[in-house]
Amino acid sequence: MSKKLYLITYGCQMNEYDSTKMADVLGKSHGYTRTQDPDEADLLLLNTCSVREKAQEKVFSELGRWKDWKAAVPGRVIGVGGCVASQEGQAIASRAPMVDIVFGPQTLHRLPALLDSTRASRKPAIDVSFPEIEKFDRLPAPRAEGVTAFVSIMEGCSKYCTFCVVPYTRGTEVSRPLDDVLTECAQLVDQGVREITLLGQNVNAYRGPMGQTGEVCDLALLINYLARFPGLQRIRYTTSHPAELGDALIDAFADEPKLASYLHLPVQSGSDRILGMMKRGYSRAEYLAKIRRIRAARPDISLSSDFIIGFPSERDEDFVQTMDLIAEAGFDGAFSFNYSPRPGTPADNLRDSVPLDVKQQRLKILQDRIRGLDTDFKQALVGSVQSVLVEKPARKGQGQMAGRTSTNRWINFEAPAHLIGQFVDVEVTEALPNSLRGRWRPATGTAAAA
């Protein structure tokens, strides 16, 4: 009987990618298969994220809920990976004795050896080191799980924004060699993948070595190479840092039709004073200049961003500048959070001076505004015909398929299941709060029934 793995993933798309690789490496080495039923699992892995407030405490609370699960069946194993594991290390095993394995984002490929070690010694096995690119060299060949896929092209971040823990939990920026990235993408395309999202904590800082020449490939050039793959029809990337968004990458929106009409470009604040305290490396004017160039290159683009509300010493005028920037940039989506200090970051030494009720009030104002812009954006799509990659059956509605537009909006429409994996034309008929509704237009030009 095969051994079962139950995997809980918190956080970003990088963590989703890493979780897939954890399952792959354990499947190849020890025959584990994933299960959605924890009661039949032999191994539980928590892939953690330290971005949200009190992430460590939430992990320990989660582990407490699994104590009885482990005790119920002899030999069950609990592992904790991801950024909280990297940050806490030995402290996790000390504080939560039910944990057998602790590993960081850069050592997930060592899971088989860690599993063997803890079973042999009956002591916690811990490895939260930063072996740079070794992780990618030791992972099994990629395995497609649908018609879209994530491909991690770099790890870490070297920006050291004062509020962010990423450089301390994932290390500084390390880019995968160009040939390795192209090989992984080619293998996925051969398995039926039609859309690839390139991942990195600071993805547009990608500088992949090109063979033995000493030259490097930036993200714009990588997109150009990938666009030559006949079977690959759409390319996305996330997450970007504004300081690394150069001319070549902006020009790619004008020159490369396979690059999706969507960009997530975190700004965090519209106040130069706050941006300086955050150590973001750009001004409000510089950010907006790039937004204007992007819109000139791709007028129909969807733009989203990140905002931190209530950063230490944020004043009313700082928040007003953020709201003014939202209006000028015309974002139609955003991730926004109240500031909370992260242990070990420079901002943790600043007094968290903005009262919670003020943060919450400002956050509501901002989120209401973004929701309104999102509604306006979707409403403007009604009546248009969008190229949609059919990804899967819709969650609700018999005969309904679901896919995403180039601008990253989910749309549901009636169509046969054999279209999964194909790009089809869909007329947008209705804008809903979280998605679109549409009418498939077959190649004959005759619209299907609504």
Side-chain angles (χ1 to χ4, degrees):
M1 186 173 64
S2 66
K3 290 170 281 191
K4 300 290 186 179
L5 165 66
Y6 186 68
L7 223 164
I8 300 172
T9 306
Y10 299 118
C12 65
Q13 291 164 320
M14 289 288 288
N15 270 19
E16 292 179 31
Y17 176 88
D18 284 350
S19 288
T20 298
K21 296 305 181 184
M22 291 175 199
D24 287 348
V25 76
L26 288 168
K28 182 178 180 181
S29 65
H30 287 66
Y32 277 95
T33 58
R34 291 184 71 167
T35 178
Q36 301 303 314
D37 181 2
D39 289 334
E40 68 177 24
D42 309 285
L43 172 61
L44 165 71
L45 294 181
L46 299 181
N47 190 10
T48 63
C49 174
S50 57
V51 170
R52 296 294 183 91
E53 184 179 7
K54 298 180 180 176
Q56 292 89 335
E57 294 307 312
K58 291 178 180 178
V59 168
F60 287 117
S61 177
E62 181 76 64
L63 289 170
R65 289 193 285 271
W66 293 102
K67 183 178 180 180
D68 292 342
W69 172 87
K70 181 178 179 180
V73 177
R76 277 180 168 170
V77 174
I78 293 178
V80 180
C83 291
V84 172
S86 179
Q87 205 168 9
E88 296 293 306
Q90 177 66 49
I92 291 179
S94 300
R95 184 172 165 185
M98 77 286 292
V99 173
D100 304 286
I101 301 171
V102 181
F103 59 101
Q106 304 286 45
T107 52
L108 66 87
H109 60 290
R110 298 177 181 174
L111 264 173
L114 294 170
L115 183 59
D116 290 342
S117 173
T118 192
R119 281 178 169 161
S121 67
R122 299 191 177 183
K123 295 179 181 179
I126 301 169
D127 188 345
V128 291
S129 58
F130 292 91
E132 293 192 345
I133 213 71
E134 175 192 309
K135 162 177 146 181
F136 296 103
D137 294 335
R138 304 290 180 85
L139 292 175
R143 176 174 50 85
E145 296 185 330
V147 298
T148 67
F150 296 134
V151 174
S152 181
I153 65 172
M154 64 177 297
E155 284 276 350
C157 184
S158 299
K159 290 295 176 284
Y160 289 94
C161 299
T162 59
F163 56 82
C164 185
V165 299
V166 167
Y168 311 103
T169 59
R170 284 188 177 262
T172 54
E173 293 164 1
V174 180
S175 295
R176 295 178 66 187
L178 172 64
D179 287 350
D180 292 0
V181 174
L182 294 179
T183 298
E184 180 170 344
C185 291
Q187 291 171 332
L188 289 166
V189 171
D190 286 346
Q191 296 175 57
V193 167
R194 296 295 171 256
E195 175 182 297
I196 285 176
T197 300
L198 305 172
L199 298 179
Q201 272 78 30
N202 182 15
V203 71
N204 50 352
Y206 175 74
R207 300 292 185 274
M210 300 176 68
Q212 304 300 316
T213 65
E215 297 180 281
V216 296
C217 175
D218 64 11
L219 181 58
L221 182 57
L222 173 59
I223 290 169
N224 184 264
Y225 278 125
L226 292 176
R228 308 285 79 80
F229 284 24
L232 182 60
Q233 294 173 272
R234 184 173 285 163
I235 303 164
R236 303 181 189 271
Y237 63 87
T238 196
T239 293
S240 300
H241 191 290
E244 297 281 359
L245 189 71
D247 292 345
L249 200 48
I250 293 174
D251 290 342
F253 283 106
D255 301 336
E256 186 42 69
K258 287 188 178 181
L259 182 59
S261 294
Y262 174 78
L263 176 64
H264 182 68
L265 192 64
V267 65
Q268 307 302 355
S269 174
S271 161
D272 280 337
R273 187 179 72 85
I274 297 298
L275 289 172
M277 292 180 67
M278 290 177 168
K279 198 183 172 186
R280 289 294 287 171
Y282 53 83
S283 68
R284 169 197 179 93
E286 289 169 336
Y287 182 92
L288 287 171
K290 293 186 179 187
I291 293 295
R292 287 191 291 271
R293 286 202 55 209
I294 291 164
R295 289 203 179 279
R298 187 72 68 89
D300 66 341
I301 198 166
S302 167
L303 290 173
S304 65
S305 196
D306 289 348
F307 294 93
I308 294 174
I309 303 302
F311 191 80
S313 84
E314 182 187 76
R315 303 175 301 216
D316 286 343
E317 51 264 44
D318 297 311
F319 178 68
V320 168
Q321 289 168 15
T322 295
M323 295 302 296
D324 288 346
L325 182 140
I326 289 172
E328 190 167 346
F331 299 115
D332 51 83
F335 297 100
S336 52
F337 311 97
N338 284 332
Y339 170 79
S340 59
R342 296 292 178 270
T345 62
D348 192 28
N349 296 317
L350 301 174
R351 188 169 69 88
D352 190 5
S353 56
V354 183
L356 179 58
D357 63 332
V358 173
K359 290 181 185 178
Q360 291 175 332
Q361 182 183 33
R362 290 174 182 169
L363 184 64
K364 183 179 185 306
I365 292 170
L366 184 146
Q367 291 179 338
D368 286 347
R369 178 58 177 148
I370 293 291
R371 271 192 292 271
L373 291 169
D374 172 55
T375 298
D376 293 344
F377 185 90
K378 293 202 297 283
Q379 193 61 47
L381 294 176
V382 174
S384 69
V385 176
Q386 300 289 315
S387 179
V388 175
L389 173 58
V390 187
E391 296 189 29
K392 58 187 178 181
R395 286 188 296 176
K396 297 179 181 179
Q398 191 173 9
Q400 294 270 318
M401 293 293 114
R404 282 178 298 161
T405 67
S406 181
T407 53
N408 210 35
R409 265 35 182 216
W410 281 101
I411 183 166
N412 298 322
F413 51 96
E414 286 189 12
H418 69 76
L419 291 178
I420 291 175
Q422 298 182 36
F423 279 81
V424 299
D425 287 339
V426 179
E427 180 185 357
V428 181
T429 58
E430 187 177 2
L432 303 173
N434 298 309
S435 64
L436 301 169
R437 186 171 292 156
R439 181 184 294 111
W440 169 48
R441 298 180 60 168
T444 59
T446 303

